[in-house]
């Protein structure tokens, strides 16, 4: 189908493009940006006056609970929630049940995704067989089946020697290795940041060193092997500083942060709200500020949702006994754009952290709007107000600490491969 979207403000962070004009879509690709080519006769015209158009978001970490935990959520439910949030591509970590350690699991997820709303669903393959941390997985087969990188998620590795061998092996296939910086022996049974608040609440804490000690080992092995590593979900100021120093020294390393880490702190756990139970934990104010500064500098080049939907029972009971994680697909974009309102980032910089930034990390072609790019984009109404309400939520997981928050702006339509995957069901549509 050919589509012309006219009079719309187009924002493409790849080349700092920000102009009011037209976007021409031909089939699954963008035909032209800005000007309408001679002879282009669209089958559909959309008046985008007053709207913004920018690339669809790419979320580097979204658990959809399928296969294995369909009582929490499914690919169908979560991709629809993603589309509503302006996300057009998601990446599933390998800790499904069974884990993604063979082509069969990748093919199953791809098949389920094709039956859903159209949002692209990618997978990370397991770094080790069954994520047990002992024997390396068949990375070549995983890559051939479509894995965009490899990871052991939050499962421990038997030793740093296993990690070294994994980095060397993955590098031979040009795979990016995605590693959370978390020393599980230091994490122990902790459920929140170790500090004055955890002491007052009587909850077991997770020290900053659980991240920085693990990160130090990762950086040493990156320097040794030259492997391309992406550090997932940083939570500390010190960790962000270590990444910045490593990048300045030329190491092939990138990092992301979950959006909620840029707004919440350990104080948000003070009422024992189980929706504040996340791993890595919400840290101190200085950590939040340090992460924000790293995002502003570009040392952290991607913001992800770290989406983890749960059924209601998972968040009942004493704080320490609840399951960690936030349902976050539908708040990734509003939180990222709140950073613009806070004066931390320009609009183009904020969008880059959720589009071109993650695209570059895993080598995606999308995340841009130039001619020939995939027609994955968002039509956004900057004048709308939206209150995050549980009754409006599309994710099967209702575990969000942001219910009751109000944000400026709202996704009007989300397009994937030249077709609408989501349209806001309100009057005054764009057509």
């Amino acid at each position: 189908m050919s589509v012309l979207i006219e009079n719309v403000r187009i924002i493409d962070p790849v080349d700092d493009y920000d102009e009011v004009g037209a976007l021409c879509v031909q089939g699954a690709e963008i035909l032209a940006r800005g000007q309408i080519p001679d002879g282009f006769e669209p089958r559909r015209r959309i008046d985008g006056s007053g709207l913004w158009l920018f690339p669809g978001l790419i979320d580097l970490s979204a658990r959809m609970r399928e296969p294995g935990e369909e009582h929490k959520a499914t690919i169908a439910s979560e991709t629809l929630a993603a589309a509503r949030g302006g996300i057009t591509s998601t990446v599933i970590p390998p800790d499904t049940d069974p884990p993604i350690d063979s082509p069969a699991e990748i093919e199953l997820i791809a098949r389920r995704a094709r039956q859903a709303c159209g949002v692209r669903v990618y997978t990370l393959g397991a770094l080790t067989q069954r994520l047990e941390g002992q024997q390396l997985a068949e990375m070549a087969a995983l890559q051939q089946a479509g894995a965009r990188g490899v990871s052991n998620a939050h499962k421990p590795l038997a030793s740093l020697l296993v990690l070294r061998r994994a980095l060397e092996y993955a590098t031979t296939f040009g795979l990016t290795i995605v590693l959370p910086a978390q020393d599980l022996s230091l994490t122990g049974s902790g459920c929140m940041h170790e500090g004055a608040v955890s002491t007052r609440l009587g909850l077991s804490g997770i020290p900053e060193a659980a991240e920085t000690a693990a990160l130090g080992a990762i950086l040493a092995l990156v320097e040794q092997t030259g492997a391309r590593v992406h550090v997932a979900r940083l939570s500390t100021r010190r960790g962000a500083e270590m990444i910045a120093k490593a990048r300045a020294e030329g190491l092939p390393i990138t990092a992301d942060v979950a959006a909620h880490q840029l707004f919440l702190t350990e104080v948000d756990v003070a009422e024992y709200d189980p929706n504040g139970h996340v791993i890595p934990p919400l840290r101190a104010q200085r950590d939040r500020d340090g992460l924000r500064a790293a995002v502003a500098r570009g040392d952290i080049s991607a913001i992800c949702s770290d989406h983890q939907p749960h059924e209601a029972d998972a968040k009942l009971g004493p704080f320490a006994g609840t399951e960690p994680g936030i349902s976050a697909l539908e708040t990734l974009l509003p939180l990222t754009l709140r950073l613009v309102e806070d004066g931390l980032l320009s609009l183009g910089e904020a969008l880059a952290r959720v589009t071109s930034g993650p695209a570059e990390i895993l080598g995606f072609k999308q995340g841009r709007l130039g001619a020939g790019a995939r027609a994955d984009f968002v039509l956004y109404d900057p004048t709308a107000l939206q209150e995050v309400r549980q009754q409006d939520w599309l994710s099967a997981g209702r575990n969000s600490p942001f219910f009751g928050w109000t944000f400026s702006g709202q996704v009007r339509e989300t397009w994937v491969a030249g077709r609408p995957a989501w349209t806001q069901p309100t009057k005054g549509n764009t057509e």
Side-chain angles (χ1 to χ4, degrees):
M1 182 172 67
S2 56
V3 180
L4 172 62
I5 305 169
E6 300 176 286
N7 308 314
V8 68
R9 180 183 175 186
I10 302 172
I11 307 153
D12 190 348
V14 168
D15 55 0
D16 293 325
Y17 185 90
D18 190 343
E19 301 282 349
V20 174
L23 190 83
C24 303
V25 176
Q26 184 70 54
E29 294 186 349
I30 293 171
L31 178 65
R33 183 192 69 182
Q35 301 298 320
I36 304 172
D38 292 339
F40 181 65
E41 293 293 339
R43 291 186 60 186
R44 182 185 178 192
R45 289 176 178 267
I46 297 174
D47 181 7
S49 298
L51 301 180
W52 296 354
L53 189 154
F54 48 80
L57 276 61
I58 300 171
D59 187 1
L60 291 180
S61 182
R63 288 175 171 80
M64 299 191 176
R65 306 307 193 189
E66 190 176 1
E69 293 184 299
E70 288 83 352
H71 62 288
K72 292 181 181 288
T74 63
I75 290 173
S77 68
E78 302 316 284
T79 51
L80 190 60
R84 184 195 184 207
I87 298 167
T88 54
S89 298
T90 61
V91 180
I92 298 180
D95 53 349
T96 53
D97 184 17
I100 306 172
D101 70 346
S102 77
E105 284 75 38
I106 295 175
E107 291 163 5
L108 170 65
I109 290 170
R111 185 166 63 251
R112 298 286 171 80
R114 287 194 294 271
Q115 297 166 349
C117 69
V119 165
R120 303 179 196 272
V121 178
Y122 298 94
T123 49
L124 296 178
L127 196 64
T128 61
Q129 295 179 21
R130 296 178 293 283
L131 296 177
E132 292 178 345
Q134 300 285 342
Q135 302 295 322
L136 300 186
E138 293 295 335
M139 298 182 197
L142 295 172
Q143 183 184 42
Q144 191 171 16
R148 301 303 301 221
V150 288
S151 174
N152 225 51
H154 287 284
K155 304 296 183 182
L157 296 171
S159 67
L160 289 177
L161 180 60
V162 173
L163 178 56
R164 176 182 176 176
R165 298 296 183 228
L167 297 184
E168 292 171 339
Y169 189 51
T171 300
T172 63
F173 303 109
L175 281 164
T176 297
I177 304 96
V178 180
L179 299 172
Q182 185 181 12
D183 186 309
L184 295 178
S185 65
L186 290 171
T187 299
S189 60
C191 60
M192 71 169 294
H193 175 62
E194 181 180 281
V197 178
S198 67
T199 300
R200 178 166 58 83
L201 296 178
L203 296 174
S204 180
I206 300 173
E208 175 189 88
E211 178 166 294
T212 55
L215 186 53
I218 291 170
L219 293 175
L221 290 175
V222 169
E223 186 174 16
Q224 179 77 32
T225 63
R228 189 171 70 240
V229 168
H230 177 71
V231 178
R233 271 73 73 199
L234 282 177
S235 69
T236 67
R237 179 183 65 177
R238 178 63 182 137
E241 291 171 349
M242 293 169 71
I243 289 291
K245 183 173 184 294
R247 288 169 59 87
E249 292 172 350
L251 293 188
I253 195 158
T254 54
D256 68 50
V257 62
H260 55 257
Q261 294 283 2
L262 302 174
F263 292 89
L264 306 179
T265 70
E266 59 183 338
V267 175
D268 292 285
V269 180
E271 300 298 326
Y272 296 99
D273 180 0
N275 288 322
H277 185 189
V278 294
I279 299 294
L282 302 174
R283 298 287 187 179
Q285 181 78 33
R286 64 178 181 278
D287 294 304
R288 193 207 70 160
D289 294 345
L291 292 169
R292 281 181 158 225
V295 169
R297 292 192 304 266
D299 295 327
I300 295 177
S301 56
I303 302 172
C304 71
S305 72
D306 195 18
H307 176 66
Q308 299 188 47
H310 286 296
E311 78 281 22
D313 287 351
K315 288 293 187 180
L316 295 178
F319 183 90
T322 60
E323 295 186 48
I326 288 175
S327 178
L329 290 170
E330 289 157 271
T331 50
L332 174 59
L333 179 59
L335 288 174
T336 299
L337 294 183
R338 178 66 65 86
L339 297 174
V340 180
E341 296 178 31
D342 291 349
L344 188 72
L345 300 171
S346 68
L347 178 57
E349 289 170 335
L351 292 174
R353 301 295 182 269
V354 287
T355 58
S356 55
E360 185 174 347
I361 289 168
L362 288 185
F364 292 125
K365 293 181 180 178
Q366 52 270 34
R368 60 186 63 222
L369 296 173
R374 292 175 173 173
D376 295 4
F377 57 86
V378 176
L379 275 171
Y380 184 81
D381 182 353
T383 65
L385 289 177
Q386 61 167 322
E387 180 184 355
V388 181
R389 304 191 308 171
Q390 191 170 153
Q391 58 266 39
D392 298 332
W393 214 236
L394 289 184
S395 170
R398 306 303 170 92
N399 47 301
S400 171
F402 297 106
F403 288 136
W405 285 43
T406 298
F407 294 96
S408 300
Q410 190 173 51
V411 172
R412 182 72 67 84
E413 295 187 11
T414 299
W415 288 58
V416 182
R419 294 180 178 276
W422 162 260
T423 300
Q424 177 68 23
T426 57
K427 62 182 179 181
N429 212 331
T430 56
E431 191 170 25

